[in-house]
Amino acid sequence: FPADLIRNFSIIAHVDHGKSTLADRLLEITGTISSNIKNEQVLDKLQVERERGITVKAQTASLFYEYKGQTYLLNLVDTPGHVDFNYEVSRSLRACEGVILLVDANQGVQAQTVANFFLAFEADLTILPVLNKIDLPGADVETVQKQMKNVFDIEPHEILQVSTKHGTGVEEVLKAVIDRIPPPTTDIKKPFKGLVFDSTYEKFKGAVTNVSVKDGVVKKGDKIVSAHTKKSYEVQDVGILYPEQTSTGCLYGGQVGYMMANIKSMTDVWIGDTLYHEKSPVEALPGFKPAKPMVFAGIYPMDQSEYQSLKMALEKLTMNDPSVSVSNDNSEALGVGFRLGFLGLLHMDVFNQRLEQEYDASVIPTAPNVSYKVKLKGDKNIKFYGAEEIIILNPCKLPDPSIIEAQYEPMVYSTIIVPVDYIGDINPLCMERRGEILDQSYIDDTRIMFKVIFPLNEILIDFYDELKSVSSGYASFDYEDHGYQESDLVKIIYLLNGKELDELTMISHITKARQKGREIVEKLCKSIPRQLFKVSVQACVGGKVLAREDIQPYRKDVTAKCYGGDISRKNKLLKRQAEGKKKMRMIGKISVPKDVFIKVLI
Ligand code: GTP
């Protein structure tokens, strides 16, 4: 396929602005899928994605389109739409020359529209602005055009208008992709040079990589080498995603497709790697910044005998999602397990859900936390003068304050966009979360954009929900990493009848510890089922009790409700109670549903 008839592009947008719907329409118009397939949103392949209606993993599809007497090959890379997955967005963009910047005409420019625009802008991609949902009565094209001018310097005449739901204007988008986005620059006479921009793991096939062929040709049977691992492989199959894998036997410069090369272990696949022919090595393309996990949580097998099977499940699942980091972890109470790093809380949630759904793993998750840095005091007696810096991923492992010189917590740089009516609520909310407002500016007459620096810990769990609730659902939020800042931190531990709950141990800013401790103790008392004896619940910092409450004893006899003599019903109830117990965890003599501790946090 001649490169000038190829276009590689991606769709970027704020969550729910219609990326997946637009992708589906493009597939339909080009006949890649038939419009009467009821299986909506073909590109959202994972079960969790369908259930939650969000795109987690970027998917690629090739389309053929007749235009001005020529057949064009359009490669569409669908990108995830949640703030947690910005990393995947920037990765996908490396396989593209342009993007469709999709904005809901009803909601206008939102925090992620801004973040994603700048990802594409900084990558020097051609930006094709499109307003979606113009069929909605609340669509306000003029205002959104003004916002796009103010924030992105995009002129109204450049902006297309569509309703992906009804298909209005979608054909124009395809034409604009061809007219405005440049074809890839490539030389097929040069030696093969391929960029690995994504990978999936498939049973029986092993690692399947998505490659963007920058130069040359790669064919089935070729011997290729990974610039990163220097390992060589024979290409088993190559082809395009149409939208399923469709073997073509070769991929030419400018094309995007899949490749299978008998790569058994996903640890051998490096996203951002360069592939070349064994006989003609090329200079490696600049690699990707590795994904940076922001949120950490421990995962322990419910039963220590399941450690190995959990390990295998994690290996398989992380193959498909290399942005999850895994290290070994242990805890006195929970035994041996793992500490996982995620891009955000949703990412963690999705991962845990997949672990249960796809691998049937029963695990005890710990409270999510961020990574802290601690500088230890130098100790002259042990001939150690310099201060040592350590990273704390597991809050239980925060050293004793007496040997700590300084502590640091991770910060984020965030964008908040709200209608001006709510401006008065944003300031106190940011203050309460220890945020520092750097800037506020109007993006049109009715909306204002804040730039705020927050400690990541403060926005991790419920900040977005609170922001939505003070703004009647109108605020949007996006953030990026902003390094570390010195902070005054303490470790809060929780005790049930004197037994420490390792999975709840948390690090908190000193000014927040008492309030946090009280809240959690109160919630624990509400969610831990009554036992046959009294249970005391405590929150402590450094041996000092911050909060304490008791759960009064209660005798639960499940058969009490039975009418006399109905033995089968009685047995059924007893069986059900026994099954329920499998989901219980014992803390000393106290039995507690295994997810209680996580529920009290959210
Ligand atoms: P993520 O996959 O989570 O990033 O979301 P998305 O941006 O892909 O959004 P999606 O395509 O799932 O659309 C979000 C919602 O908007 C769905 O309920 C769609 O039916 C609806 N929607 C999309 N396009 C239109 C449109 O043109 N008009 C109207 N009225 N609704 C639309």
Side-chain angles (χ1 to χ4, degrees):
F1 226 96
D4 59 338
L5 297 181
I6 299 177
R7 300 292 182 274
N8 299 315
F9 69 104
S10 202
I11 307 171
I12 54 173
H14 189 75
V15 67
D16 276 348
H17 281 198
K19 272 190 313 285
S20 303
T21 316
L22 174 61
D24 282 355
R25 291 293 162 270
L26 297 180
L27 294 180
E28 270 168 36
I29 292 180
T30 54
T32 315
I33 54 165
S34 93
S35 58
N36 53 25
I37 293 182
K38 277 282 156 276
N39 197 358
E40 282 268 290
Q41 306 203 338
V42 176
L43 294 184
D44 286 358
K45 279 186 193 159
L46 298 172
Q47 189 184 348
V48 264
E49 293 185 344
R50 293 235 166 103
E51 275 176 24
R52 294 177 178 232
I54 49 154
T55 314
V56 173
K57 195 143 173 58
Q59 307 278 356
T60 300
S62 296
L63 331 168
F64 293 95
Y65 187 63
E66 296 279 339
Y67 182 52
K68 294 183 180 165
Q70 300 271 23
T71 302
Y72 286 85
L73 168 61
L74 311 178
N75 295 309
L76 159 64
V77 178
D78 193 22
T79 56
H82 189 272
V83 36
D84 281 10
F85 302 104
N86 267 350
Y87 167 73
E88 292 227 2
V89 175
S90 53
R91 213 165 71 180
S92 311
L93 296 186
R94 286 279 294 275
C96 302
E97 281 71 48
V99 295
I100 295 175
L101 176 71
L102 194 65
V103 182
D104 183 331
N106 200 40
Q107 289 191 2
V109 170
Q110 298 289 327
Q112 264 172 275
T113 320
V114 179
N116 282 335
F117 169 86
F118 283 103
L119 287 179
F121 188 72
E122 280 160 17
D124 270 336
L125 301 186
T126 301
I127 291 163
L128 175 61
V130 178
L131 291 193
N132 187 26
K133 309 197 189 182
I134 53 163
D135 58 290
L136 287 176
D140 185 351
V141 171
E142 214 174 296
T143 301
V144 185
Q145 282 175 338
K146 243 188 246 165
Q147 295 172 354
M148 307 267 278
K149 172 75 185 148
N150 288 343
V151 186
F152 308 129
D153 204 20
I154 291 174
E155 299 295 337
H157 71 263
E158 298 173 56
I159 308 174
L160 301 181
Q161 297 177 23
V162 303
S163 159
T164 54
K165 188 165 190 169
H166 300 161
T168 328
V170 178
E171 193 107 25
E172 299 311 312
V173 174
L174 277 174
K175 291 176 183 159
V177 164
I178 295 170
D179 288 334
R180 297 200 215 165
I181 295 177
T185 39
T186 176
D187 186 346
I188 57 167
K189 292 197 189 77
K190 279 192 179 167
F192 163 63
K193 186 188 219 176
L195 170 75
V196 177
F197 67 94
D198 201 359
S199 71
T200 45
Y201 185 82
E202 294 184 17
K203 268 187 197 158
F204 312 119
K205 292 180 186 164
V208 181
T209 53
N210 283 2
V211 282
S212 157
V213 182
K214 297 299 180 193
D215 283 318
V217 188
V218 64
K219 294 194 189 71
K220 189 175 164 176
D222 283 356
K223 289 265 185 345
I224 54 155
V225 178
S226 142
H228 187 92
T229 64
K230 297 285 183 282
K231 288 190 184 171
S232 54
Y233 302 95
E234 184 179 315
V235 178
Q236 238 79 54
D237 188 18
V238 281
I240 57 170
L241 295 145
Y242 190 57
E244 303 302 331
Q245 290 163 0
T246 308
S247 183
T248 53
C250 59
L251 283 175
Y252 285 90
Q255 285 193 312
V256 166
Y258 72 93
M259 175 190 291
M260 281 175 231
N262 221 351
I263 306 176
K264 291 267 165 27
S265 164
M266 286 291 280
T267 48
D268 284 338
V269 178
W270 286 81
I271 306 299
D273 199 357
T274 306
L275 304 174
Y276 54 82
H277 277 148
E278 205 171 50
K279 295 222 170 70
S280 34
V282 298
E283 198 184 321
L285 296 154
F288 292 155
K289 241 187 354 190
K292 189 174 174 208
M294 309 277 261
V295 181
F296 297 83
I299 292 249
Y300 290 86
M302 231 345 231
D303 189 320
Q304 282 288 306
S305 68
E306 287 160 13
Y307 175 82
Q308 280 303 333
S309 58
L310 176 61
K311 187 173 174 196
M312 280 182 30
L314 285 176
E315 271 167 15
K316 290 244 169 71
L317 207 47
T318 47
M319 279 176 183
N320 247 324
D321 191 348
S323 54
V324 178
S325 71
V326 184
S327 54
N328 292 322
D329 203 4
N330 57 70
S331 138
E332 223 171 278
L334 304 169
V336 284
F338 303 91
R339 183 126 306 239
L340 307 185
F342 302 98
L343 303 173
L345 215 56
L346 174 77
H347 186 210
M348 175 179 100
D349 242 22
V350 165
F351 187 89
N352 287 347
Q353 196 182 339
R354 290 187 65 191
L355 198 59
E356 289 202 352
Q357 269 172 3
E358 294 168 33
Y359 295 92
D360 203 20
S362 177
V363 297
I364 302 169
T366 73
N369 61 277
V370 301
S371 71
Y372 295 96
K373 260 204 260 187
V374 169
K375 198 189 265 174
L376 297 178
K377 280 182 185 157
D379 185 345
K380 289 198 175 84
N381 297 327
I382 56 165
K383 290 190 182 157
F384 171 55
Y385 300 104
E388 190 191 355
E389 242 180 37
I390 51 171
I391 301 260
I392 306 293
L393 298 183
N394 178 347
C396 299
K397 309 223 157 125
L398 185 71
D400 191 85
S402 63
I403 61 162
I404 292 179
E405 168 104 20
Q407 313 180 82
Y408 305 86
E409 65 179 325
M411 309 297 288
V412 293
Y413 176 80
S414 71
T415 305
I416 300 173
I417 296 182
V418 276
V420 282
D421 306 349
Y422 300 99
I423 192 170
D425 300 297
I426 299 302
N427 275 300
L429 182 62
C430 292
M431 294 268 287
E432 189 199 312
R433 304 289 180 143
R434 300 190 286 130
E436 183 197 343
I437 300 176
L438 298 182
D439 182 46
Q440 29 185 305
S441 56
Y442 284 86
I443 65 167
D444 64 33
D445 303 340
T446 61
R447 274 167 197 271
I448 186 157
M449 175 160 69
F450 291 84
K451 297 286 181 187
V452 192
I453 291 184
F454 285 107
L456 175 59
N457 188 32
E458 294 287 342
I459 55 147
L460 195 58
I461 293 178
D462 51 358
F463 176 72
Y464 190 47
D465 289 340
E466 204 169 324
L467 181 66
K468 280 267 180 198
S469 94
V470 300
S471 64
S472 315
Y474 287 118
S476 68
F477 178 63
D478 195 282
Y479 63 82
E480 58 190 80
D481 182 22
H482 195 64
Y484 281 84
Q485 187 171 299
E486 190 164 354
S487 183
D488 219 342
L489 307 166
V490 292
K491 174 162 81 178
I492 313 179
I493 59 167
Y494 297 88
L495 304 157
L496 286 192
N497 279 359
K499 274 238 177 284
E500 206 172 313
L501 292 173
D502 276 5
E503 58 261 68
L504 265 191
T505 300
M506 53 181 68
I507 293 173
S508 155
H509 191 256
I510 193 158
T511 57
K512 293 282 186 94
R514 187 171 295 276
Q515 180 199 342
K516 191 93 210 158
R518 277 205 191 124
E519 263 171 37
I520 302 269
V521 165
E522 207 173 287
K523 285 193 192 160
L524 279 172
C525 286
K526 286 202 189 105
S527 15
I528 294 175
R530 290 180 176 202
Q531 313 280 321
L532 292 168
F533 42 86
K534 189 162 93 176
V535 176
S536 83
V537 185
Q538 292 174 309
C540 302
V541 165
K544 221 172 80 194
V545 179
L546 296 180
R548 178 195 165 127
E549 271 188 53
D550 290 337
I551 306 171
Q552 294 309 323
Y554 172 66
R555 195 188 160 86
K556 188 177 176 196
D557 182 357
V558 287
T559 58
K561 280 188 244 134
C562 283
Y563 5 80
D566 185 350
I567 189 73
S568 71
R569 173 150 189 199
K570 184 171 170 178
N571 284 343
K572 211 156 100 194
L573 280 173
L574 286 171
K575 190 162 159 245
R576 198 179 297 160
Q577 196 181 11
E579 272 167 10
K581 276 196 182 135
K582 281 194 208 144
K583 297 200 177 107
M584 295 293 193
R585 183 162 120 59
M586 299 303 292
I587 318 284
K589 284 191 203 145
I590 308 162
S591 80
V592 184
K594 72 176 172 94
D595 53 356
V596 148
F597 305 121
I598 296 310
K599 285 198 180 132
V600 301
L601 291 169
I602 302 163

